[in-house]
Amino acid sequence: MISPGERTINILMAGVGGQGTILAGELLSHVLLEDGFDVKKSDVHGMAQRGGRVVSHVRFGRKVHSPLIAPGEADILVGFEMAETLRSLDWLVPGGRVISENRAILPYTCQVGEASYPFQALDTIAQSGFDLTVVEGEKLAREAGSVKAANIVLMGALARFLPVAPEVWQETIRRNMSGKLVEVNLKAFALGWGKVQS
Amino acid sequence: MKPKLLSGNEAIARGALDAGAALATGYPGTPSTEILEALVREPGIRTFWSPNEKIAVELASGVSCAGFRVLATMKHVGVNVAADPIFTLAYTGVGGGLVIVTADDPELHSSQNEQDNRRYASFARIPMLEPSDSQEALDFTREAFLLSESFDIPVFLRTTTRISHGKSAVEQRSAAEPPKERSPIKKGLIRNPAKYVMVPANARARHPDLEDRISRLAAYAEDCPFNRAELRGGDLGIITSGISYNYVREAAPEASVLKLGLVFPMPSVLIRDFASRFDRILVVEELEPYIEEWVRLLGIRCEGKSLIPRFGETGTQTVRHAVSLSSPSPDPARDAGPEEERGLEGRIPVRPPVMCVGCPHRGIFHLLNRKKFFVAGDIGCYTLAVAPPLSAIHTTLCMGAGINQAAGIEAVLPEEHGKVVAVIGDSTFLHSGMGGVLNMAFNSIPATVIILDNFTTAMTGRQNHPGSGFDASGNRTRQIQWEALLKGLGIENVRIVDAYDIGRLRDALEEETRRDAPSVIVVRGACMLLKNHAVKRNPPLRIDPEACTDCGVCLSLGCPAIARKGGSAGEKPCIDQDQCTGCDLCGQLCSFGAIGREQ
């Protein structure tokens, strides 16, 4: 478990447009604020939404100044897609924690066979001295009732490493979502949470 | 009350509501768009998307003249469009408070340049506030209306992408009361030609009056609560504003800081006093040496752009470097992200944004590519067609420019007639394309303009425009008639073609570009992401591997749903059944009848 003390904790989320990367960062930020931390979140809208790379920076602690994580200073990297996890690795502190989906979304050059996709990304990460937790987010999300909840499965896994009680997450999910989505996302969160040994 | 997590844009909207603004208007543009989106559902304020930023500011000036508070929002380059009214508005001054938001985009996350609009403040002689987080975005917006009224002048509120889109905690006042007018503003029809009719005789008198107002504002700047010296001892003093303040606090927590919230006019006494306390003065700002030049004008020695780049975003690492080493950062791009370092980029294929599955722009760009047209482009989702495999955009300058560039090329290269087209989206055309078409007709330039009509301003997140049939709040409204509009502008040859009908698109392109007269092709197909239009969505298609000859034409559409199996060069293409919208562009292009629906 990572606890901030006087320090600001940095969580970087990386994914592909349409995966709910920004929404997951949003939920995480609400949870942290609810728990009494100062929080800043920054991501880029616009071009990134069209199937491009999406990165969201979430920082929390007693008092957060910069909304951006400095390169090489992320404590935790949450990757929603394998190649994007690999691409973002240098944002982490040496030996930092990685939580990654094991899913591949091929960029255009790979789709047409012009470039090769790094299917061995997660092995590379594990061999590079990072603390890697692999989560089958999409598969578990389908179990929870919607593939779209894969982002919340990953939040469930992330929650294991943060100093916030799961009840705060559950409450925040209830407050920020509506109707059927609440049940699906609560289940997705629980499946992600259960994936990681305490 | 518990603090709430708000983006800078949401906080600005909140600030305008708190201030009792009667109306808000603007043109969508990243990173400013969400301000008006946060206001459309609010009762008590009218929210209009204007066709362009000039219209927004002029409309706002009318609201202000009538004695009401008003907000105008735009991205940095939108201020260029609105610059004409803005410069003279400084002379006339205001009635009700008038606040103009300029949302700048250092690092060009979604823009064609990264101009620093703080220059506009000093150029137009308009005060400018620059918040550093969402709380300040709310507080400064509220105060901006009062400043505007107190000093009889429009006020700029400048954000950058990280302020507009970044989220941070905001303490909300419970049931905030609109701030009281410092002197009562008359509401109603104000007939005051000396103030509002800028004929030379009146404007000549208003100019010294403007300078007087600026002098009084400069005096106010010395005591303005938004300018504050944070003294922490030491021999380093940092002067900064906006987002850079956060990087300074992070990189040099022990340093003394002069934080400027009002960046025009500048507080000279405060700066001199602050600077006199330190051996070394460092100015930390993104883009232009705007503060640095002021500090130097005061005769103070300082460092700034010698250590911090004049381009891109800055960040904690850049500031750390500037603070500690007193030499330029060896790699100014480091804060943008490390992934280009250590050769990782070579290992991981790039992932540029692409047009959506089923996007109505894809077919026409495929044809433009195949027929090797020179395409004068414009600004919108379709600019993505610059990238492979569509590779069919050859210029992009600013909103509305493509039509005039194509006309210019046609005027001097008649031998290339038939090989040049302009492409422009519907929202962009209504923003600033009409004049170009009018000019083609007036000067008999036989250029061909392709208007991509998807009923929305798609790139910024689908805001309605005069061709949508809906207003900002989603209520039905009059929808412009393209044929009538274009005929009225003097174009005899107007064709409207279904964006998904490759045969008709090919014919229209061939016939209209060959014609010896100006022509317009409206390529019509609703944005796939639109909810209030009947979007073409059919059962998914499949590729029959027996019939497929692997010619690759379907892959050349750049559709995210078509891929070689497992990304392997040896495999034939197949279609992702979950993603395919059944638009059938690939089906029409396949010469071997290999693509179809299951019977």
Side-chain angles (χ1 to χ4, degrees):
Chain A
M1 180 150 344
I2 288 187
S3 194
E6 286 302 310
R7 204 164 73 80
T8 295
I9 303 294
N10 301 318
I11 303 173
L12 190 86
M13 316 237 238
V16 175
Q19 283 195 295
T21 310
I22 289 174
L23 278 174
E26 189 95 7
L27 177 70
L28 168 63
S29 303
H30 278 118
V31 165
L32 293 164
L33 189 74
E34 185 63 36
D35 213 47
F37 292 107
D38 188 27
V39 185
K40 279 189 180 168
K41 170 180 178 281
S42 188
D43 38 55
V44 175
H45 304 202
M47 289 293 218
Q49 289 178 317
R50 308 287 180 278
R53 166 175 159 78
V54 177
V55 174
S56 198
H57 297 225
V58 177
R59 311 189 70 220
F60 72 100
R62 186 164 298 171
K63 173 73 191 161
V64 181
H65 293 294
S66 170
L68 293 180
I69 300 168
E73 295 182 11
D75 298 285
I76 304 178
L77 165 64
V78 184
F80 293 76
E81 196 273 350
M82 292 194 302
E84 294 313 320
T85 310
L86 184 61
R87 200 196 302 277
S88 305
L89 219 50
D90 281 355
W91 283 94
L92 274 172
V93 291
R97 181 168 293 287
V98 182
I99 298 163
S100 181
E101 166 81 84
N102 63 352
R103 179 179 177 204
I105 301 175
L106 303 193
Y108 172 74
T109 46
C110 297
Q111 283 193 333
V112 298
E114 281 171 12
S116 59
Y117 183 89
F119 285 104
Q120 74 304 335
L122 298 180
D123 296 335
T124 310
I125 294 167
Q127 287 157 16
S128 310
F130 294 99
D131 230 322
L132 173 67
T133 305
V134 180
V135 181
E136 296 174 290
E138 208 186 21
K139 192 175 144 233
L140 293 172
R142 202 165 272 142
E143 253 177 67
S146 165
V147 206
K148 287 189 173 163
N151 57 348
I152 306 302
V153 174
L154 267 92
M155 288 303 97
L158 168 67
R160 279 281 184 165
F161 303 105
L162 299 179
V164 180
E167 291 75 25
V168 181
W169 284 87
Q170 290 156 354
E171 240 172 72
T172 310
I173 288 172
R174 282 199 193 93
R175 191 158 351 99
N176 286 281
M177 297 176 188
S178 57
K180 242 181 79 180
L181 282 181
V182 174
E183 282 319 304
V184 172
N185 283 300
L186 284 175
K187 204 162 165 201
F189 179 82
L191 286 169
W193 174 271
K195 219 43 207 169
V196 181
Q197 303 304 316
S198 56
Chain B
M1 266 179 110
K2 268 205 160 179
K4 265 183 100 169
L5 194 71
L6 294 184
S7 70
N9 283 348
E10 289 165 334
I12 292 167
R14 197 68 247 165
L17 282 173
D18 279 5
L23 191 146
T25 186
Y27 181 78
T30 312
S32 71
T33 313
E34 299 80 5
I35 304 170
L36 291 198
E37 291 199 314
L39 288 172
V40 289
R41 280 168 301 275
E42 293 290 342
I45 186 166
R46 295 191 74 181
T47 307
F48 295 153
W49 284 121
S50 287
N52 66 40
E53 296 85 354
K54 181 176 188 288
I55 293 170
V57 169
E58 290 161 352
L59 186 104
S61 81
V63 174
S64 165
C65 182
F68 293 84
R69 289 180 179 165
V70 60
L71 181 76
T73 68
M74 59 207 67
K75 68 183 292 170
H76 59 333
V77 287
V79 177
N80 301 338
V81 178
D84 203 358
I86 285 174
F87 275 75
T88 308
L89 259 174
Y91 283 37
T92 68
V94 304
L98 195 170
V99 177
I100 301 167
V101 178
T102 164
D104 296 9
D105 190 18
E107 200 72 39
L108 303 100
H109 293 289
S110 192
S111 301
Q112 67 269 39
N113 76 23
E114 51 179 355
Q115 67 188 48
D116 185 337
N117 278 7
R118 293 178 302 171
R119 297 279 196 210
Y120 264 115
S122 57
F123 191 8
R125 316 293 283 164
I126 289 176
M128 177 177 274
L129 292 164
E130 195 180 16
S132 295
D133 58 23
S134 298
Q135 182 69 59
E136 287 191 350
L138 191 159
D139 295 343
F140 286 17
T141 305
R142 236 175 104 92
E143 187 62 24
F145 286 97
L146 284 181
L147 270 185
S148 172
E149 287 168 3
S150 304
F151 291 91
D152 184 20
I153 198 159
V155 173
F156 275 125
L157 184 90
R158 184 215 186 212
T159 68
T160 51
T161 302
R162 300 296 177 184
I163 298 295
S164 272
H165 285 173
K167 296 207 168 186
S168 59
V170 175
E171 304 274 353
Q172 302 234 70
R173 294 166 195 79
S174 48
E177 245 187 57
K180 289 268 181 325
E181 295 153 3
R182 282 177 191 151
S183 58
I185 305 294
K186 232 177 108 187
K187 289 192 169 62
L189 292 177
I190 315 293
R191 292 165 216 259
N192 185 354
K195 176 170 161 62
Y196 287 115
V197 181
M198 286 301 95
V199 292
N202 291 343
R204 214 170 277 131
R206 286 304 284 177
H207 193 182
D209 188 81
L210 169 61
E211 290 312 314
D212 177 57
R213 285 175 275 152
I214 292 296
S215 307
R216 285 189 282 123
L217 269 158
Y220 163 81
E222 304 291 353
D223 304 314
C224 172
F226 301 152
N227 294 331
R228 72 169 185 261
E230 300 172 0
L231 300 174
R232 299 187 181 87
D235 51 12
L236 170 66
I238 300 179
I239 306 177
T240 188
S241 73
I243 187 70
S244 300
Y245 169 75
N246 301 296
Y247 303 137
V248 166
R249 294 291 294 125
E250 187 89 20
E254 309 301 328
S256 295
V257 179
L258 177 60
K259 180 194 185 302
L260 300 176
L262 180 66
V263 294
F264 183 80
M266 285 279 186
S268 305
V269 178
L270 192 61
I271 292 172
R272 274 209 186 90
D273 178 63
F274 178 80
S276 70
R277 295 161 186 265
F278 304 97
D279 298 337
R280 183 182 175 214
I281 293 294
L282 174 65
V283 179
V284 177
E285 56 192 328
E286 284 176 339
L287 304 177
E288 294 293 291
Y290 171 83
I291 297 174
E292 183 182 346
E293 285 173 5
W294 277 94
V295 173
R296 287 180 188 277
L297 269 178
L298 294 174
I300 298 164
R301 277 184 39 188
C302 67
E303 294 163 286
K305 290 297 141 185
S306 55
L307 297 171
I308 291 162
R310 200 170 179 153
F311 46 83
E313 289 183 307
T314 181
T316 303
Q317 285 206 358
T318 307
V319 179
R320 270 187 204 138
H321 210 272
V323 165
S324 66
L325 291 184
S326 316
S327 70
S329 167
D331 180 9
R334 287 179 314 163
D335 274 303
E339 60 263 28
E340 272 106 65
E341 295 177 7
R342 299 191 213 168
L344 262 182
E345 197 61 18
R347 266 178 23 222
I348 309 168
V350 291
R351 192 187 298 276
V354 290
M355 288 177 191
C356 304
V357 178
C359 175
H361 299 333
R362 188 169 275 113
I364 185 72
F365 280 106
H366 173 81
L367 291 176
L368 290 170
N369 170 306
R370 285 295 153 115
K371 304 276 178 196
K372 299 194 165 43
F373 273 94
F374 182 93
V375 182
D378 223 294
I379 293 182
C381 284
Y382 47 93
T383 318
L384 294 171
V386 68
L390 294 172
S391 308
I393 295 269
H394 303 102
T395 68
T396 297
L397 186 64
C398 66
M399 297 280 284
I403 294 174
N404 305 314
Q405 291 179 315
I409 290 167
E410 287 265 359
V412 295
L413 289 178
E415 66 272 25
E416 299 290 349
H417 180 65
K419 295 178 205 146
V420 179
V421 294
V423 163
I424 186 167
D426 49 351
S427 186
T428 309
F429 182 81
L430 297 170
H431 174 282
S432 51
M434 289 189 281
V437 161
L438 189 65
N439 181 51
M440 276 163 50
F442 173 55
N443 285 308
S444 310
I445 303 168
T448 300
V449 175
I450 297 170
I451 298 175
L452 304 165
D453 180 19
N454 63 0
F455 303 102
T456 190
T457 319
M459 184 89 251
T460 46
R462 301 178 300 286
Q463 289 73 35
N464 291 324
H465 63 63
S468 303
F470 302 90
D471 64 14
S473 313
N475 302 315
R476 276 243 170 238
T477 185
R478 183 174 286 271
Q479 185 173 18
I480 58 127
Q481 299 299 311
W482 287 96
E483 298 95 324
L485 173 70
L486 293 162
K487 295 238 151 120
L489 290 170
I491 305 295
E492 301 271 336
N493 309 294
V494 178
R495 278 213 215 184
I496 298 191
V497 188
D498 179 350
Y500 298 99
D501 189 333
I502 289 283
R504 289 229 164 88
L505 285 175
R506 196 182 278 132
D507 291 348
L509 198 55
E510 214 158 277
E511 288 165 28
E512 297 305 333
T513 53
R514 224 185 286 146
R515 201 186 287 281
D516 199 26
S519 59
V520 174
I521 306 169
V522 178
V523 177
R524 182 166 290 164
C527 172
M528 286 310 292
L529 303 174
L530 269 185
K531 295 206 170 70
N532 54 5
H533 277 267
V535 170
K536 193 166 174 162
R537 199 175 272 277
N538 295 316
L541 299 161
R542 277 179 202 280
I543 300 176
D544 174 2
E546 303 288 308
C548 174
T549 65
D550 199 7
C551 72
V553 70
C554 55
L555 289 169
S556 73
L557 278 168
C559 174
I562 310 176
R564 294 188 188 279
K565 210 169 177 188
S568 159
E571 296 279 349
K572 283 182 179 177
C574 56
I575 298 175
D576 181 338
Q577 297 298 293
D578 290 337
Q579 290 194 68
C580 178
T581 63
C583 78
D584 196 36
L585 284 176
C586 56
Q588 293 171 65
L589 288 172
C590 179
S591 312
F592 306 96
I595 302 179
R597 292 196 178 87
E598 274 184 7
Q599 299 306 310

